[in-house]
Coordinates of all heavy atoms in Angstrom, one line a residue:
S960 N -26.4 22.4 27.8 CA -26.9 21.2 27.1 C -27.0 21.4 25.6 O -27.2 22.5 25.1 CB -28.2 20.7 27.7 OG -29.2 21.7 27.5
F961 N -26.9 20.4 24.8 CA -26.9 20.5 23.4 C -27.6 19.3 22.7 O -27.7 18.2 23.3 CB -25.4 20.6 22.9 CG -24.6 19.3 23.1 CD1 -24.6 18.3 22.2 CD2 -23.9 19.2 24.3 CE1 -24.0 17.1 22.4 CE2 -23.1 18.0 24.5 CZ -23.2 17.0 23.6
T962 N -28.0 19.5 21.5 CA -28.5 18.4 20.6 C -28.0 18.6 19.2 O -27.9 19.7 18.7 CB -30.1 18.6 20.5 OG1 -30.6 18.4 21.8 CG2 -30.6 17.5 19.6
V963 N -27.3 17.6 18.7 CA -26.7 17.6 17.4 C -27.2 16.5 16.6 O -27.4 15.3 17.1 CB -25.1 17.4 17.5 CG1 -24.5 17.4 16.1 CG2 -24.6 18.5 18.3
T964 N -27.6 16.7 15.4 CA -28.1 15.6 14.5 C -27.1 15.4 13.3 O -26.5 16.3 12.8 CB -29.5 15.9 13.9 OG1 -29.4 17.1 13.2 CG2 -30.4 16.0 15.1
F965 N -27.0 14.1 12.9 CA -26.3 13.8 11.7 C -27.2 12.9 10.8 O -27.8 12.0 11.2 CB -25.1 12.9 12.0 CG -24.1 13.5 13.0 CD1 -24.2 13.3 14.4 CD2 -23.1 14.3 12.5 CE1 -23.3 13.9 15.2 CE2 -22.2 14.9 13.4 CZ -22.3 14.7 14.8
N966 N -27.3 13.3 9.5 CA -28.0 12.5 8.5 C -27.1 11.7 7.7 O -26.1 12.3 7.1 CB -28.9 13.5 7.6 CG -29.9 14.2 8.4 OD1 -30.6 13.6 9.2 ND2 -30.0 15.5 8.2
R967 N -27.3 10.4 7.5 CA -26.5 9.6 6.8 C -27.3 8.6 5.9 O -28.4 8.3 6.2 CB -25.6 8.8 7.7 CG -24.5 9.6 8.5 CD -23.5 10.1 7.5 NE -22.4 10.8 8.2 CZ -22.3 12.1 8.6 NH1 -23.4 12.8 8.4 NH2 -21.2 12.5 9.2
T968 N -26.6 8.1 4.8 CA -27.2 7.1 4.0 C -26.2 6.0 3.7 O -25.0 6.4 3.4 CB -27.7 7.7 2.6 OG1 -28.6 8.7 2.9 CG2 -28.2 6.6 1.7
V969 N -26.6 4.7 3.9 CA -25.7 3.6 3.6 C -26.1 2.9 2.4 O -27.3 2.8 2.1 CB -25.5 2.7 4.9 CG1 -24.6 3.4 5.9 CG2 -26.8 2.3 5.4
T970 N -25.2 2.3 1.7 CA -25.5 1.4 0.5 C -25.1 0.0 0.9 O -24.0 -0.3 1.4 CB -24.7 1.9 -0.7 OG1 -24.9 3.2 -0.9 CG2 -25.0 1.1 -1.9
N971 N -26.0 -0.9 0.6 CA -25.7 -2.4 0.9 C -24.8 -3.0 -0.1 O -25.1 -3.0 -1.4 CB -27.1 -3.1 0.9 CG -26.9 -4.6 1.2 OD1 -25.9 -5.0 1.8 ND2 -27.8 -5.4 0.7
V972 N -23.6 -3.4 0.3 CA -22.7 -4.1 -0.7 C -22.4 -5.5 -0.1 O -21.5 -6.2 -0.5 CB -21.4 -3.3 -0.8 CG1 -21.6 -2.0 -1.5 CG2 -20.7 -3.1 0.5
G973 N -23.3 -6.0 0.8 CA -23.2 -7.3 1.4 C -24.2 -8.2 0.8 O -24.4 -8.3 -0.5
A974 N -24.8 -9.1 1.6 CA -25.8 -10.0 1.1 C -27.1 -9.3 0.7 O -27.5 -8.2 1.2 CB -26.2 -10.9 2.3
P975 N -27.8 -9.8 -0.4 CA -29.0 -9.1 -0.9 C -30.0 -8.8 0.1 O -30.5 -7.7 0.3 CB -29.5 -10.0 -2.0 CG -28.3 -10.8 -2.4 CD -27.4 -11.0 -1.2
K976 N -30.4 -9.9 0.9 CA -31.4 -9.7 1.9 C -30.7 -9.7 3.3 O -30.1 -10.7 3.6 CB -32.4 -10.9 1.9 CG -33.3 -10.9 0.6 CD -34.3 -12.0 0.6 CE -35.1 -11.9 -0.6 NZ -36.2 -13.0 -0.6
S977 N -30.7 -8.6 3.9 CA -30.0 -8.5 5.2 C -30.6 -7.4 6.1 O -31.2 -6.5 5.6 CB -28.5 -8.1 5.0 OG -28.4 -7.0 4.1
T978 N -30.6 -7.6 7.4 CA -31.1 -6.7 8.3 C -30.0 -6.3 9.3 O -29.3 -7.1 9.9 CB -32.3 -7.3 9.1 OG1 -33.3 -7.7 8.2 CG2 -32.8 -6.3 10.2
Y979 N -29.8 -4.9 9.4 CA -28.7 -4.4 10.3 C -29.4 -3.7 11.5 O -30.3 -2.9 11.4 CB -27.9 -3.4 9.6 CG -26.9 -4.0 8.6 CD1 -27.3 -4.4 7.3 CD2 -25.6 -4.2 8.9 CE1 -26.4 -5.0 6.4 CE2 -24.7 -4.8 8.0 CZ -25.1 -5.2 6.7 OH -24.2 -5.7 5.9
N980 N -28.9 -4.1 12.7 CA -29.4 -3.5 13.9 C -28.4 -2.5 14.4 O -27.1 -2.8 14.3 CB -29.7 -4.5 15.0 CG -30.8 -5.4 14.6 OD1 -32.0 -5.0 14.8 ND2 -30.5 -6.6 14.2
S981 N -28.8 -1.4 14.9 CA -27.8 -0.4 15.4 C -27.5 -0.6 16.9 O -28.3 -1.1 17.7 CB -28.4 1.0 15.2 OG -29.6 1.2 16.0
K982 N -26.3 -0.3 17.2 CA -25.8 -0.4 18.6 C -24.8 0.8 18.9 O -24.1 1.1 18.0 CB -25.0 -1.8 18.8 CG -24.5 -1.9 20.3 CD -24.0 -3.3 20.5 CE -22.7 -3.5 19.7 NZ -22.0 -4.8 20.1
V983 N -24.9 1.4 20.0 CA -24.0 2.5 20.3 C -23.1 2.1 21.5 O -23.6 1.6 22.5 CB -24.8 3.7 20.7 CG1 -23.9 4.9 21.2 CG2 -25.7 4.2 19.5
V984 N -21.8 2.2 21.3 CA -20.9 1.9 22.4 C -20.3 3.2 22.9 O -19.8 4.0 22.1 CB -19.8 1.0 21.8 CG1 -18.7 0.7 22.9 CG2 -20.4 -0.3 21.3
P985 N -20.3 3.5 24.2 CA -19.8 4.7 24.7 C -18.2 4.8 24.5 O -17.5 3.8 24.4 CB -20.0 4.6 26.2 CG -21.1 3.6 26.3 CD -20.9 2.6 25.2
G986 N -17.8 6.1 24.3 CA -16.4 6.3 24.2 C -15.8 7.0 25.4 O -16.1 6.6 26.5
H987 N -15.1 8.1 25.2 CA -14.5 8.8 26.4 C -15.1 10.2 26.5 O -15.9 10.6 25.7 CB -13.0 8.9 26.2 CG -12.6 9.2 24.7 ND1 -12.9 10.4 24.2 CD2 -12.0 8.5 23.8 CE1 -12.4 10.4 22.9 NE2 -11.9 9.2 22.6
G988 N -14.6 11.0 27.5 CA -15.1 12.3 27.7 C -16.5 12.3 28.4 O -16.9 11.2 29.0
S989 N -17.2 13.3 28.3 CA -18.6 13.4 28.9 C -19.5 12.4 28.2 O -19.4 12.2 27.0 CB -19.1 14.8 28.7 OG -18.3 15.8 29.3
K990 N -20.4 11.9 29.0 CA -21.3 10.8 28.4 C -22.3 11.5 27.4 O -22.9 12.5 27.7 CB -22.1 10.2 29.5 CG -22.9 9.0 29.1 CD -23.7 8.3 30.2 CE -24.5 7.1 29.8 NZ -25.1 6.4 30.9
L991 N -22.4 10.8 26.3 CA -23.3 11.2 25.2 C -24.5 10.3 25.2 O -24.4 9.1 25.3 CB -22.6 11.2 23.8 CG -21.3 12.0 23.7 CD1 -20.7 11.9 22.3 CD2 -21.6 13.5 23.9
S992 N -25.7 10.9 24.9 CA -26.9 10.1 24.7 C -27.1 10.1 23.2 O -27.2 11.1 22.5 CB -28.0 10.7 25.4 OG -29.3 10.0 25.1
V993 N -27.1 8.9 22.6 CA -27.2 8.7 21.1 C -28.5 8.0 20.8 O -28.7 6.9 21.2 CB -26.0 8.0 20.5 CG1 -26.1 7.9 19.0 CG2 -24.7 8.8 20.9
N994 N -29.3 8.6 19.9 CA -30.5 7.9 19.4 C -30.4 7.8 17.9 O -30.1 8.7 17.2 CB -31.7 8.7 19.8 CG -33.0 8.1 19.4 OD1 -33.3 6.9 19.7 ND2 -33.8 8.8 18.5
V995 N -30.7 6.6 17.4 CA -30.6 6.3 15.9 C -32.0 6.0 15.4 O -32.7 5.1 15.9 CB -29.7 5.1 15.7 CG1 -29.5 4.9 14.2 CG2 -28.3 5.3 16.3
T996 N -32.4 6.8 14.4 CA -33.8 6.6 13.8 C -33.6 6.4 12.3 O -33.1 7.3 11.6 CB -34.6 7.8 14.1 OG1 -34.6 8.1 15.5 CG2 -36.1 7.5 13.7
P997 N -34.2 5.3 11.7 CA -34.7 4.1 12.4 C -33.5 3.3 13.0 O -32.3 3.5 12.6 CB -35.3 3.3 11.3 CG -34.6 3.7 10.1 CD -34.3 5.1 10.3
S998 N -33.8 2.5 14.0 CA -32.7 1.7 14.7 C -32.4 0.4 14.0 O -31.4 -0.3 14.3 CB -33.1 1.4 16.1 OG -34.3 0.7 16.1
V999 N -33.3 0.1 13.0 CA -33.1 -1.2 12.2 C -33.1 -0.8 10.7 O -34.1 -0.1 10.3 CB -34.1 -2.2 12.6 CG1 -33.9 -3.5 11.7 CG2 -34.1 -2.6 14.1

Side-chain angles (χ1 to χ4, degrees):
S960 59
F961 64 87
T962 299
V963 178
T964 61
F965 302 95
N966 296 315
R967 292 293 189 270
T968 300
V969 286
T970 304
N971 180 28
V972 293
K976 293 183 179 179
S977 53
T978 299
Y979 286 80
N980 293 284
S981 63
K982 180 173 69 171
V983 176
V984 178
H987 42 68
S989 305
K990 187 177 180 181
L991 302 177
S992 177
V993 181
N994 183 57
V995 184
T996 309
S998 60
V999 179

